[in-house]
Amino acid sequence: MGEEETRGLQSVFRQKTPSPFRPYVVLEFAVGAKQPAIEWMISKLQASESSGGADLEVSAVVMTFKKQTVLYIGAKNSRLLTAADMTGLSKIYKDNHYREFSIEDMANFKGIEDVDSFLTTAEKQKLILHEMEAVRASDEEDHIPGYDKIKLWTGKSILKKYLSRDIITKMYPLHEPEDLKKLGADWYQIKRIFKEQPIDDIRHYFGEKIALYFAFLGYYTIALIPPAFIGIIYFITSWQSMYREAIFAVFNLIWATIFLEVWKRYCSELSYRWGTIDMVSSTYDEPRANYFGTLGENPVTGKPEPVFPKWKRSFRFYCVTVPIVSVALGIAFYIMLGYFVMQEWADKKYASEKSWVNFSVLYLPTVIYAVLIGIVNSIYRKVAKKLNDWENHRLQSAYDNHLIVKLILFDFVNCFISLFYVAFYIQDMALLRSHLAALLITQQLIGQVQEAMVPFLFLTRRKKQVDASMKKQDALQKVEYFNGEVTEEVQKQAGMESEMEEYNGTMDDYLEMFLQFGYVFLFSSAFPLAALWALINNVTEIRSDAFKMVNIFQRPFAESASNIGAWQVAFELISIMAVMTNCALIGMNPEVRKLLPSDITAVNIVLIFVAVEHIILAIKVAVACLIPDQPKWVEIELAKIAYQSKLALQEKHVHRSESDKEKIDALLKEKSQ
Amino acid sequence: MGEEETRGLQSVFRQKTPSPFRPYVVLEFAVGAKQPAIEWMISKLQASESSGGADLEVSAVVMTFKKQTVLYIGAKNSRLLTAADMTGLSKIYKDNHYREFSIEDMANFKGIEDVDSFLTTAEKQKLILHEMEAVRASDEEDHIPGYDKIKLWTGKSILKKYLSRDIITKMYPLHEPEDLKKLGADWYQIKRIFKEQPIDDIRHYFGEKIALYFAFLGYYTIALIPPAFIGIIYFITSWQSMYREAIFAVFNLIWATIFLEVWKRYCSELSYRWGTIDMVSSTYDEPRANYFGTLGENPVTGKPEPVFPKWKRSFRFYCVTVPIVSVALGIAFYIMLGYFVMQEWADKKYASEKSWVNFSVLYLPTVIYAVLIGIVNSIYRKVAKKLNDWENHRLQSAYDNHLIVKLILFDFVNCFISLFYVAFYIQDMALLRSHLAALLITQQLIGQVQEAMVPFLFLTRRKKQVDASMKKQDALQKVEYFNGEVTEEVQKQAGMESEMEEYNGTMDDYLEMFLQFGYVFLFSSAFPLAALWALINNVTEIRSDAFKMVNIFQRPFAESASNIGAWQVAFELISIMAVMTNCALIGMNPEVRKLLPSDITAVNIVLIFVAVEHIILAIKVAVACLIPDQPKWVEIELAKIAYQSKLALQEKHVHRSESDKEKIDALLKEKSQ
């Protein structure tokens, strides 16, 4: 780094960062990133809000021989509290209810006495992220300094541009080693395998969204116990009745609804406890940082923001996305058909002679099928992501939900279409059972092996990380600090975490659970042991997921959530679809048909099963209506909050004094005269 | 009336009612009601709120020779405004949004300059009713003076007791003759038959609940035009395709969903315009005046109110109501069965010979059936009302909804069970068509005749009313006034309205519409002309209902409503049920079956129709999801209100000044040091 550049970097800092400086978030610039871009970012992060900056504390470390600049971001308490106020962060009020934090009313919030720990680290990191992302380009700032070709649009997030164009390559909040160690001990250790997860601690450290995923996974695992138990009984006893499958299927169908409804209650308890229950996305929420459009104003708040006409989004969705997705689903379907044709051909030709060559040819179709599906799937995921970006949804929740639907649709077709084909077109129960078992157990075994390898991977990776950070330690000898020192300990920690894998959100984990739910409930009458397999899998899944969160991944920024969103709907849809598939399976079962009077016509048999299907659906709807979505106590607490804020808004008392009344009378006389 | 009594009545009045005195509500005591009870009521109505009274203006007229006392109730403007504030009445704020009226902020509400007309007469009457009903018995007041046996419970409404024990026989708000004349002219005159109803004026005069009924009736009538049009085309053209019924049925099924969804949008527009859109019943709403229980306190507000354990209500509902209703439904079913058996027997025995005797015997079963059902129905309605009272629902809305469900269930079975029996058990399409046409047309003809008689009845009744009021005029000669004169004109008006019929709410009108909707949509493939009959009926129905509201009935107290409540659900359920009935009807149609390939098995035919049913249901669900329940502009306006009140509650601005920040810093330093 030339002297000129160094002088530039030095001159950027407005004021000395106080010592000791506690950094919360790390930004790593690309090796060789242009100096003016670095300086501009630093000045933006430091500048006061009124001049369009983020008003944060920044310390820069320049590793001279690597030509890389790393920024450590912190913030003053006052800055964090202002941000908490502006973003409407919920904190516990003196009456033990959550309220949106307010600077003016600050003294009435619990824990404000110790102002350093009033906000959790996760909250501080989230607020810093929000403030960094909120730095937007003004009219004159039409490109990133040093990169003339990288254009900026008025009102778009500058940080997002740096990230999408890889000028900043990594951005991560720092772990808290001690808290993390404690959390890990409570969470994934073997001796705790039958204990509840420390959900509140998880939320405290990782935020509500991730905590809700683990809560749901744990809850769903417990809900699998009764079906698994029945599955075991069926497996070990010799009770061979024709009612077997029917009883099991009906139990499962009703059970799925009860489970999903009771989860809603439990979820509302959690989100009440965490102060996120009345978090509803609304027209006046801020748009996503990547939302684009011509600059207009929000019809509700009147604030300037990008405007993108709804018809354009609808056009893109219905005229581009829907056809493309349909084609992809069609391709998956035809690949499946091709597989069955190939398999049939291979069976005919090679199954008669038993030789090693023939045996491997017999498995060739399966291998080709798996490879093809893998390729199509990875292409589809990229396309789906691009399409979803291009649809340009205004709110993060809408964006997430549309992406979830796209992924679910494809994975659903991918995983279940062959089962549907076997069950209802080929109509071969034995084949369905073996096919289902093969799919479920293979997927789970692969998953288990992967997850058993996690600690092993962890060890090798940790070694790499240590090596890398050793190198950086060498580098530390040749480091320049700007604006206050960052302790060597923090630099070592950051160096280590920089090499860790980035956590990609809960999407894939939910998807895995969703497919498993489908395997267990859609064809439960064909394969009652599915629930047991799923249960065994999930017990270890929880712990290995936990281990990954604690040891493998970079710390993710905490995100709020009041429920599991579109996933609730997805699971409910599967549970409704399961009624149809199971009724059809049982209706097609020749064993069951023997039960009916022999003189009954085939038509009436079908009508009976249609009637049964409608009755089970009606029962499910009734169960869903009869189980309230919130426990009574949550409902009362929420009503109390609403009542109190109504009173506060009215600022008046029911028993008005006589003197008040006289005043009103006087006012009225005045008016009417 | 003895002199002593007169003195008693005189002494009750605290202060002279100002002249001119404008009465809004009339209370008529029973002839010969005990004097202490009358005096107590007057003193309660006059007493200040702090001493447990209603603080209203009361004038008494005693018709000496009839020994009857009539109270005329009015209120000072200041009293009405205080009541509006306390009950949270919505009025238009200076920003053209509805807000809950607030005395302190009074000057900012629109129209407050003219304080006499700021509240509409309907609102004043509603407020006076609320205040009168809110007078509750205290601990010491354990019976009504003069009636030792009529016990009062602490906290129960005193007025309700007077009404239920017939000490007060009539209570009605007074009409406004001029407004009413204008409303009638805009509403039901023949020349206006194709014009829109003056919905806003109706709401202004009768309140939101009645206005919503007429809005829905009008809207539903317009929605009948397309199916009626198709019905006519089918009737006049000779197009005899096997697709006929199927096309019509599918159109009708989708149309029903579109209609119900678009109604929700229109309804939300209306309720936004009327300021009732965010009216949700909540745990802290006041209980119904007739709600009873041991005195406890509201868990939300902490105010004293009767408490009735939920398990008791559930017990009464599931263990008493459900069995009784089921038995009633069973009885209706067996009466129907008996009818068919009798009819068959009569047909066999007497249909061969054609004589007058035989002919009348042939119709005997129908007559007996009609009479029996009539009897069972009237008994059931009384029982249902009693059961509903006894279930003791806390909120008026819960009470209404439970009563609606009870009545709907019975009427549904009563009207449709025979159609289901013919369609799916006897499976005779021709009989179904004639039976359906007979039921629909008979009911409508009876209704039309009744309604055509309305003006005639009106004339004879008006004559009676005039006679009665003439008698009262005689009485007026021998009348004693207490506390300010009531003009002779008002007394004449009250005398007339006292003789008018009491309006029993919208329940029966909705029920009639509900059954008609069932006839039109449940079996539309069997009788496409049903929609036309319904349309013709409803065009006159609107006007005759309007005529009755204006000329026949006492003015009802205005009630608020934001939607049509349980009726929306009831109509939606019918539209879902219609999918099943119509698919079954078409599937059973031999004409349609000819369309399918001849080598198709009977089982596959059934499966095809089951698939069609599921697809139509899925389309309906998709349509319901895709049509938003609120128009975009209403959503934005509501978001604006929410945003503004959030800002107001926070009382802060996004761009906080630097000086503010310094203050916070100072505070923080203070705290952390």
Side-chain angles (χ1 to χ4, degrees), chain A residues 23-63:
Chain A
Y24 291 106
V25 178
V26 177
L27 297 182
E28 286 184 18
F29 280 95
V31 172
K34 299 260 171 70
Q35 198 62 16
I38 298 175
E39 284 171 20
W40 196 52
M41 177 50 78
I42 293 173
S43 68
K44 280 284 170 196
L45 291 177
Q46 286 193 116
S48 70
E49 275 183 285
S50 50
S51 52
D55 196 12
L56 298 168
E57 294 179 340
V58 183
S59 215
V61 173
V62 181
M63 278 165 282

Side-chain angles (χ1 to χ4, degrees), chain A residues 478-582:
Chain A
K478 293 170 191 169
V479 123
E480 293 179 57
Y481 298 91
F482 292 90
N483 200 35
E485 278 195 26
V486 176
T487 63
E488 209 164 293
E489 196 186 353
V490 169
Q491 286 194 59
K492 267 191 210 167
Q493 187 195 340
M496 194 88 107
E497 289 177 19
S498 166
E499 299 300 315
M500 288 169 119
E501 224 172 289
E502 198 184 334
Y503 181 66
N504 277 323
T506 52
M507 183 83 78
D508 285 328
D509 293 324
Y510 274 116
L511 207 50
E512 197 180 324
M513 217 194 307
F514 171 77
L515 293 176
Q516 191 200 65
F517 185 80
Y519 286 127
V520 174
F521 286 92
L522 278 180
F523 302 94
S524 47
S525 57
F527 185 44
L529 268 183
L532 180 64
W533 281 99
L535 175 62
I536 294 169
N537 179 70
N538 289 1
V539 170
T540 53
E541 174 91 24
I542 294 177
R543 309 301 152 175
S544 59
D545 278 2
F547 186 85
K548 284 195 283 186
M549 287 307 303
V550 172
N551 295 298
I552 307 289
F553 292 125
Q554 278 173 6
R555 182 171 189 173
F557 284 102
E559 286 180 62
S560 297
S562 60
N563 53 50
I564 60 172
W567 293 106
Q568 180 84 35
V569 182
F571 277 78
E572 280 169 9
L573 277 180
I574 287 278
S575 94
I576 286 171
M577 213 177 277
V579 179
M580 300 169 198
T581 50
N582 280 294

Side-chain angles (χ1 to χ4, degrees), chain A residues 4-222:
Chain A
E4 205 180 315
E5 284 174 348
T6 307
R7 217 177 308 127
L9 209 50
Q10 243 156 359
S11 68
V12 156
F13 289 98
R14 290 192 310 162
Q15 54 188 62
K16 190 87 180 155
T17 298
S19 194
F21 167 64
R22 168 87 195 264
Y24 291 106
V25 178
V26 177
L27 297 182
E28 286 184 18
F29 280 95
V31 172
K34 299 260 171 70
Q35 198 62 16
I38 298 175
E39 284 171 20
W40 196 52
M41 177 50 78
I42 293 173
S43 68
K44 280 284 170 196
L45 291 177
Q46 286 193 116
S48 70
E49 275 183 285
S50 50
S51 52
D55 196 12
L56 298 168
E57 294 179 340
V58 183
S59 215
V61 173
V62 181
M63 278 165 282
T64 317
F65 87 99
K66 276 185 73 183
K67 278 186 158 282
Q68 190 183 17
T69 306
V70 179
L71 302 186
Y72 291 81
I73 319 285
K76 277 188 235 149
N77 278 329
S78 62
R79 175 71 190 103
L80 289 171
L81 291 180
T82 318
D85 176 313
M86 294 305 167
T87 53
L89 188 82
S90 285
K91 294 298 284 181
I92 296 177
Y93 202 65
K94 61 177 175 187
D95 61 358
N96 284 324
H97 288 142
Y98 274 89
R99 291 255 171 111
E100 293 197 356
F101 178 73
S102 147
I103 293 271
E104 263 140 45
D105 202 13
M106 188 160 69
N108 285 322
F109 283 84
K110 285 209 166 174
I112 191 74
E113 310 82 48
D114 183 1
V115 88
D116 282 324
S117 67
F118 174 65
L119 297 171
T120 66
T121 317
E123 282 166 345
K124 288 176 186 172
Q125 292 167 341
K126 187 162 98 177
L127 291 170
I128 288 174
L129 174 68
H130 179 267
E131 295 307 316
M132 291 196 302
E133 284 185 342
V135 176
R136 288 164 193 273
S138 71
D139 281 339
E140 304 91 55
E141 297 162 338
D142 60 347
H143 70 280
I144 294 178
Y147 296 87
D148 289 349
K149 283 184 186 161
I150 302 187
K151 298 285 172 224
L152 288 168
W153 290 22
T154 312
K156 279 208 77 172
S157 167
I158 294 175
L159 180 67
K160 288 268 174 182
K161 201 70 181 184
Y162 271 71
L163 285 164
S164 68
R165 302 303 290 258
D166 278 332
I167 303 173
I168 292 177
T169 48
K170 285 181 182 169
M171 172 173 76
Y172 48 90
L174 286 170
H175 270 300
E176 295 162 278
E178 276 183 33
D179 288 12
L180 192 62
K181 206 171 157 190
K182 212 185 136 289
L183 179 62
D186 286 349
W187 195 3
Y188 62 77
Q189 285 189 357
I190 291 294
K191 63 179 179 185
R192 286 193 46 92
I193 201 152
F194 294 116
K195 296 235 176 98
E196 233 180 298
Q197 301 177 80
I199 292 293
D200 288 310
D201 296 337
I202 301 171
R203 175 244 172 180
H204 200 264
Y205 194 89
F206 288 111
E208 289 83 21
K209 201 168 179 183
I210 290 174
L212 276 182
Y213 163 70
F214 280 100
F216 184 64
L217 176 56
Y219 182 83
Y220 164 59
T221 304
I222 292 169

